[in-house]
Amino acid sequence: MKKPFISNEALEKIAAQYTTPFYLYDEKGIRETARKVMQAFAWNKGFKEFFAVKATPTPKLLQILKEEGCGADCSSYTELLMSDACGFKESEIMFSSNVTPAEDYQLARKLNVTINLDDITHIDFLEKVADIPTTISCRFNPGGKFAIANNIMDNPGDAKYGMTRAQMTEAYKILMKKGVRHFGMHAFLASNTVTNEYYPELARQLFQVAVELKKETGASIEFINLSGGVGIPYKPEQTSNDILAIGEGVRKVYEEVLVPAGMGNVAIYTEMGRFMTGPYGALVTKAIHEKHTYKEYIGVDACAANLMRPAMYGSYHHITVMGKEDLPCDHKYDITGGLCENNDKFAIDRMLPKIAMGDLLFIHDAGAHGFAMGYNYNGKLHSSELLLKEDGSVEMIRRAENPSDYFATFDFTGLFK
Ligand SMILES: *Cc1c(COP(=O)(O)O)cnc(C)c1O
């Protein structure tokens, strides 16, 4: 069973002080996960996890992860600015972007972060708008389908990212001529995998290509970036990934493929987002309306603009009705927000205990790709973000948007003073 990381009593107190809806993060869970990741890859001397900033771009959380030894993986200008402001410097930042604007590359070079090129044409582009650094990474896309034991996990051949196998060789050769001396490789082949086999299988494919690339080009390959894609069990019946088993799986492949090729010094990098913070963030919302028509509806004060995954992907997010954890789930509800969009539903036909107006709903596993994907449709405002600290106290780490924030981009008109 999925349990909230906070008691009903403690959450009631927080809700009395901060208006719902809000995001609540569990510092303890985030720190423990970061430590486990470090432990899982401790066998690799240069290991670093670059937290995918896009998953949860909240400065306080980035700082916590930095304290635990993580770097930052950025994909845009503002993510670079945020990571820099949070204290990540140079090689602590990985810039894994695609369709990259000139200004973004210019800032990446100014901050001297590690650039991961999405495409071979970006070599000329980067040289034209900035310059070519001496360390660079190239993103690989093997095409076809990515499968583990006949189970197709994703479809890289349809993905816009990365270079073909032939382009990887060509890119390394061109970059060597342009003065690059330290190379990296990167690939992201499947998303939200809930199996301990994903990283080891990805590692095997990448390591083999790395060995070939070294033979073909003589390039010094110094890091291999397994990127993100390690998932979390959104559904109660799923089992969590075991990061220690995953680290051990990657180690075996490393010993098998890289070490015999004289590449036992290669650093392993990861760019996990979801795995690091996903389970340790929840959207807390209050039941404000009930409606009995052709179905039973509970209307809450959050909407898809606060958490769009159910509306956008049909994703399952577990919901706990706080204080009613032990009551039977004998009512079938659609849990809806107030957007003028019928897909604004956090749950459809969900069996839950009888919900009363004012009940707090704890929407689980919203700690990654949750707040971050929020938007302002229907003039809805972003909520606050709160941190449940290890000592049980609560700190606001982002205030809620107010109407002036919403109108701020019209400040030149004088309309909304
Ligand atoms: C989104 C993304 C990640 C993080 O993905 P998760 O599924 O959150 O682990 C890492 N690297 C890149 C390049 C990404 O685009």
Side-chain angles (χ1 to χ4, degrees):
M1 252 341 275
K2 266 187 189 289
K3 280 208 174 119
F5 51 75
I6 186 164
S7 70
N8 179 45
E9 196 190 1
L11 192 60
E12 293 276 1
K13 273 193 200 134
I14 299 171
Q17 194 184 346
Y18 299 93
T19 28
T20 52
F22 52 77
Y23 271 82
L24 182 68
Y25 299 94
D26 176 30
E27 175 172 14
K28 183 160 171 278
I30 293 173
R31 286 194 189 272
E32 280 175 1
T33 301
R35 284 173 202 171
K36 243 193 222 163
V37 168
M38 301 304 160
Q39 191 191 336
F41 289 92
W43 56 267
N44 182 257
K45 211 160 87 251
F47 174 76
K48 199 164 182 74
E49 148 69 6
F50 295 82
F51 177 68
V53 173
K54 74 161 192 265
T56 322
T58 308
K60 181 71 189 186
L61 301 183
L62 297 184
Q63 285 165 334
I64 287 171
L65 288 163
K66 183 167 191 302
E67 281 172 20
E68 296 298 337
C70 297
D73 161 40
C74 300
S75 60
S76 67
Y77 192 90
T78 47
E79 287 180 0
L80 285 170
L81 290 179
M82 182 182 283
S83 301
D84 180 54
C86 289
F88 297 93
K89 297 298 163 199
E90 306 203 339
S91 62
E92 292 168 349
I93 299 180
M94 182 65 58
F95 188 52
S96 289
S97 60
N98 69 96
V99 195
T100 315
E103 309 81 75
D104 295 30
Y105 272 141
Q106 284 155 357
L107 181 58
R109 286 299 297 128
K110 189 173 143 211
L111 299 175
N112 198 25
V113 307
T114 306
I115 291 174
N116 179 35
L117 292 175
D118 180 68
D119 190 52
I120 193 165
T121 60
H122 284 222
I123 300 172
D124 283 344
F125 186 82
L126 175 61
E127 189 171 40
K128 201 171 97 203
V129 302
D131 62 344
I132 304 284
T134 52
T135 300
I136 209 154
S137 171
C138 292
R139 182 166 183 167
F140 173 50
N141 181 335
K145 300 221 186 336
F146 184 84
I148 295 172
N150 295 324
N151 177 18
I152 294 172
M153 312 220 49
D154 224 318
N155 203 345
D158 270 349
K160 65 174 177 170
Y161 310 106
M163 309 186 197
T164 67
R165 178 62 192 81
Q167 287 172 338
M168 287 294 285
T169 306
E170 186 65 17
Y172 269 39
K173 285 183 179 164
I174 295 169
L175 288 163
M176 285 173 83
K177 282 204 196 105
K178 294 189 186 290
V180 174
R181 291 197 302 278
H182 316 282
F183 282 87
M185 283 177 67
H186 170 283
F188 189 150
L189 303 186
S191 194
N192 190 31
T193 57
V194 195
T195 157
N196 295 335
E197 308 305 310
Y198 171 63
Y199 259 5
E201 177 54 34
L202 169 69
R204 181 179 300 281
Q205 294 191 18
L206 278 177
F207 293 172
Q208 279 161 355
V209 173
V211 171
E212 291 166 19
L213 278 172
K214 192 185 166 199
K215 278 203 192 112
E216 290 165 6
T217 67
S220 166
I221 299 174
E222 296 172 19
F223 60 89
I224 294 178
N225 185 343
L226 303 177
S227 183
V230 177
I232 58 170
Y234 285 98
K235 295 183 178 157
E237 67 270 21
Q238 290 177 304
T239 25
S240 320
N241 286 323
D242 177 352
I243 196 67
L244 297 179
I246 290 174
E248 178 56 19
V250 174
R251 189 190 66 78
K252 283 206 185 100
V253 181
Y254 190 98
E255 299 286 336
E256 221 177 284
V257 182
L258 287 183
V259 173
M263 297 176 74
N265 282 326
V266 171
I268 300 300
Y269 293 168
T270 56
E271 292 173 342
M272 289 180 280
R274 197 185 311 270
F275 185 78
M276 304 300 290
T277 57
Y280 317 110
L283 174 58
V284 178
T285 182
K286 191 180 278 176
I288 56 171
H289 286 287
E290 57 190 310
K291 178 165 178 165
H292 318 281
T293 54
Y294 305 103
K295 297 185 87 172
E296 291 296 302
Y297 295 99
I298 295 294
V300 295
D301 59 7
C303 66
N306 302 109
L307 174 66
M308 87 182 315
R309 297 187 73 259
M312 186 182 191
Y313 308 120
S315 315
Y316 181 93
H317 276 265
H318 198 66
I319 296 176
T320 298
V321 183
M322 296 302 291
K324 300 187 172 173
E325 290 86 340
D326 299 325
L327 297 187
C329 292
D330 52 4
H331 283 64
K332 192 193 268 187
Y333 290 119
D334 280 14
I335 307 292
T336 83
L339 291 185
C340 304
E341 265 283 351
N342 197 41
N343 66 0
D344 183 14
K345 294 179 178 176
F346 292 115
I348 297 173
D349 295 333
R350 183 77 56 91
M351 295 308 294
L352 290 167
K354 183 170 173 51
I355 295 173
M357 294 305 91
D359 280 355
L360 292 175
L361 273 57
F362 184 97
I363 305 182
H364 292 249
D365 300 314
H369 311 290
F371 182 96
M373 293 175 84
Y375 52 103
N376 282 124
Y377 191 50
N378 266 193
K380 297 287 186 183
L381 303 174
H382 289 92
S383 76
S384 61
E385 294 184 292
L386 309 176
L387 181 67
L388 176 64
K389 302 220 258 186
E390 286 180 293
D391 64 4
S393 66
V394 170
E395 180 186 339
M396 182 169 74
I397 55 177
R398 185 193 304 261
R399 68 161 170 82
E401 263 182 343
N402 56 45
S404 343
D405 296 318
Y406 182 70
F407 295 127
T409 46
F410 303 110
D411 52 0
F412 64 97
T413 68
L415 265 178
F416 303 99
K417 278 203 194 114

